[in-house]
Amino acid sequence: MKYEVILIGGGPVGMMLAGELALAGIKVCVIERLKETTPYSRALTVHPRTLEILDMRGVKSKLISKGRLLSRGHFAGLETPLDFSVLDSSSNHTLFLPQSETEKVLEEWALSLGAEVRREVEALSVHQDEDGVDVKIAGPNGETTLRSAYVVGTDGARSLVRKHANISFEGTDATFTAILGDAVLSDLAPMSVISRITEKGLVSIMPINDHMYRVLIIDMERRNISKDETVTFEEFRSSIIRTTGSDLGLNDVKWMSRFGNATRQAGRYRNGRLFLAGDSAHIHFPAGGQGMNVGLQEAMNLGWKLAGAIKGWAPDWLLDSYHTERFPWNTALLRNTEVQTLLLDVTPPITELRSMLANLIQIPEANYQIAAQISAIDVHYAPDAEAPPHPLNGKRFKDLGLKLKDGQLINSYPFLHKGTFLLLHFHFNEQNSGQWETYSNLQVVHASLAEADADWNDVHTALIRPDGHIAWAISSSDPNPMQTINEGITRWCGNITD
Ligand SMILES: Cc1cc2nc3c(=O)[nH]c(=O)nc-3n(C[C@H](O)[C@H](O)[C@H](O)COP(=O)(O)OP(=O)(O)OC[C@H]3O[C@@H](n4cnc5c(N)ncnc54)[C@H](O)[C@@H]3O)c2cc1C
C-alpha cells in the first residue's frame, strides 16, 4: 500500500491530523477537492487548549506571529466577557486569527513532515474490507482507486465518509439562521468592537485586521430564511442598518454567508477502519468559537493512536478509546452551544436571564468554570483503571517547569515536539538500568520540579501521552515504584522496543 492512512478533506482538522500522522512516521495522504485553502475567515479564535497542543508541536509561535492575542472570550455574547487570563495555563489567552491562516500554517507543517496533499481531487466512494480501504477518487487525471489501511473523514458537515461508513448523524435541524460577512466599515474607528442585542436582533462586530471587520447578525426579520439562500449585499446592508442604526460605512464585502443552528453528532466516531473527526463528527451553532478548536483537539487525540495501531505497538483498546474519550466532551460541547443559542433571544425573560448571568460571571469561580469549558482547559479523560489511583491520572498536562539534572530550567512542552510519550522521572538517583530508553515511542526525562506545585509535589514519575494528557502519575509513597512504572509503560507503550 502506498498510503497507510488516507484523510478525506483538507480543512484544518485534516491538515492537523496529517501532521500528527506524518510526525509519527506514517505514510499519509490528504485528498482535498479545493485547489487552495479556502480564503474565508470562518473560525477566528484559537482557544487556550488548542494553543497548548499546538505549542506541544512547536507550531504555536508561528500562528501567534500572524494574529492577535486576547485574554478574553465570551459566552453567548453576554455583557461580561470571559477572562481567560486566570486559567492555569501557559496559553491563558485566545489567538484571533482567520481560519484561512490557521489552515495554511497547519498545511505547511504537515507537508514539512512528509504528508502528501492531493488538491483538486475529490473522493467519490469509500469501501472497507478486512485488510484495508479502497477510496475512489476523481482528479485532473481522471478516476482511480487508492488503497490504505485506514481512512479518516475530515470532510466536514456533509461527510461522504460518514455516509459510506453507515454512521448516523442524529440531532436537530436549524430553527433559525444568522448571516455574517467580512467587510470594510469605514465609519468605525480602527479596531472597534460592537456587541449588541436589542429587539431588532443581535449584532457582533470584531476587527479582523486594521481595515476589515467580521460582522455577525441575527436579524429578527430575517432569521427564518433558509441557510441555502444566498446573502446579497443589499440584505447584508439592510440588516446592519436595522440592528445598529446605520450602515457603518459599509463599502466592501469580502465574504458573506448564512448559517444555522442545526446541531448533530455522529453516533460513533469509528466503524472498523473508518474514522470521523471534526465537523464530519459534529455540527453546532458557532457560539463561543469552538468548532475548529475541538476538531484540532480530536486530531491530536486520534493521530498517535492510529499511528500506534499501524506501527504495531498500540494495545487493542487504544484505538477505540478515541470515540470513548471524545464523544462525551463533544456532547457537552453541543449542549453548551445550544444553551448559548437559547440566550440569543430578545424576549424580556431571556433579557433578564442574560443580565443575571452577566452578573454571575463577574464572580471569579463562575468565570473560571465557564472559561475552562469554552477554552477546553477542563477536558480530562477517564483515569487508567489499572494504574494506582492518583488525582492527575487522565488530566490535561500543563506546561510544567522542570529542573534538569545539570540545573537547567526548562519547560516540558518542547519534549513533546516529536509526538512521543514522555516519561517524567523525578527521582534521578534511582537506577532504572536504562530499560525505558529502549522504547522507540518514549522519551525519558530525569528532572525535578522547577518550583513547588501542589498537584505535582508528591509525584514520583508520570507518563504523559503524546496528546498531552497524563496517562498516569505515581506517588512517591508507592511501595514498589519501579514495578508500577514498568507495568504502566508496557500497558500504554506496548512491548515494542528498538
Ligand atoms: C461563521 C462561522 C464562524 C466560526 N467560528 C469559529 C471559531 O471562532 N472558532 C472555531 O473553533 N470554529 C469556528 N467555526 C467552525 C469551524 O469553521 C469548523 O468547525 C471547521 O472548519 C471544521 O473543520 P473541518 O476540517 O472539520 O471541516 P471543514 O473546514 O469543513 O473542511 C472539510 C474539507 O473537506 C473537503 N471535502 C469535503 N468533501 C470532500 C470530498 N468528497 N473529497 C475531497 N475533499 C472533500 C472540503 O473541501 C473542505 O476543505 C465557525 C464556523 C462558521 C460557519
Side-chain angles (χ1 to χ4, degrees), residues 5 37 121 135 162 241 321 325 346 353 378 396 415 463:
V5 181
T37 310
V121 176
V135 179
R162 192 180 64 233
I241 294 172
S321 73
E325 291 188 338
V346 295
L353 183 59
D378 65 349
R396 139 191 171 264
F415 290 115
L463 182 69

Side-chain angles (χ1 to χ4, degrees), residues 7-15 31-34 36-38 41-47 50 96-97 99 103 118-119 121-125 137 153-161 179-180 214 216 255 257-259 277-282 284-296 298:
L7 307 178
I8 298 179
V13 179
M15 292 306 174
I31 302 294
E32 170 54 56
R33 64 156 78 101
L34 298 178
E36 50 196 35
T37 310
T38 150
S41 63
R42 291 211 284 172
L44 275 179
T45 46
V46 187
H47 279 317
T50 314
F96 207 68
L97 183 69
Q99 181 168 328
E103 285 185 27
R118 295 174 72 159
R119 285 193 172 274
V121 176
E122 173 151 17
L124 302 177
S125 67
I137 56 167
T154 46
D155 49 350
R158 295 178 185 199
S159 172
L160 170 108
V161 178
I179 56 174
L180 75 73
R214 151 71 61 87
L216 188 154
W255 172 55
S257 174
R258 197 188 311 271
F259 56 96
D279 276 16
S280 68
H282 38 75
H284 53 83
F285 193 70
Q290 303 169 86
M292 178 187 77
N293 284 275
V294 165
L296 298 182
E298 275 158 23

Side-chain angles (χ1 to χ4, degrees), residues 213-230:
Y213 288 88
R214 151 71 61 87
V215 183
L216 188 154
I217 302 175
I218 303 176
D219 181 341
M220 287 301 160
E221 271 188 32
R222 309 282 301 165
R223 53 178 275 150
N224 294 323
I225 308 287
S226 157
K227 167 181 171 303
D228 300 322
E229 196 173 307
T230 310

Side-chain angles (χ1 to χ4, degrees), residues 12-88:
V13 179
M15 292 306 174
M16 177 83 193
L17 186 53
E20 283 298 288
L21 289 164
L23 183 64
I26 299 299
K27 287 178 274 178
V28 55
C29 171
V30 180
I31 302 294
E32 170 54 56
R33 64 156 78 101
L34 298 178
K35 187 174 178 191
E36 50 196 35
T37 310
T38 150
Y40 309 130
S41 63
R42 291 211 284 172
L44 275 179
T45 46
V46 187
H47 279 317
R49 182 55 179 164
T50 314
L51 289 172
E52 285 188 344
I53 61 173
L54 293 170
D55 202 11
M56 289 171 203
R57 297 297 185 256
V59 181
K60 176 182 162 182
S61 51
K62 187 148 197 196
L63 278 183
I64 283 189
S65 67
K66 293 171 181 283
R68 270 184 300 133
L69 290 179
L70 301 173
S71 61
R72 301 182 153 201
H74 75 90
F75 186 81
L78 293 175
E79 207 175 302
T80 312
L82 294 174
D83 179 6
F84 288 147
S85 71
V86 298
L87 297 173
D88 181 19

Side-chain angles (χ1 to χ4, degrees), residues 176-177 197-202 217-224 239 242-243 344-347:
F176 70 87
T177 55
I197 184 159
T198 66
E199 72 283 358
K200 302 282 183 199
L202 171 139
I217 302 175
I218 303 176
D219 181 341
M220 287 301 160
E221 271 188 32
R222 309 282 301 165
R223 53 178 275 150
N224 294 323
S239 287
R242 247 192 309 279
T243 51
L344 299 179
D345 201 347
V346 295
T347 56

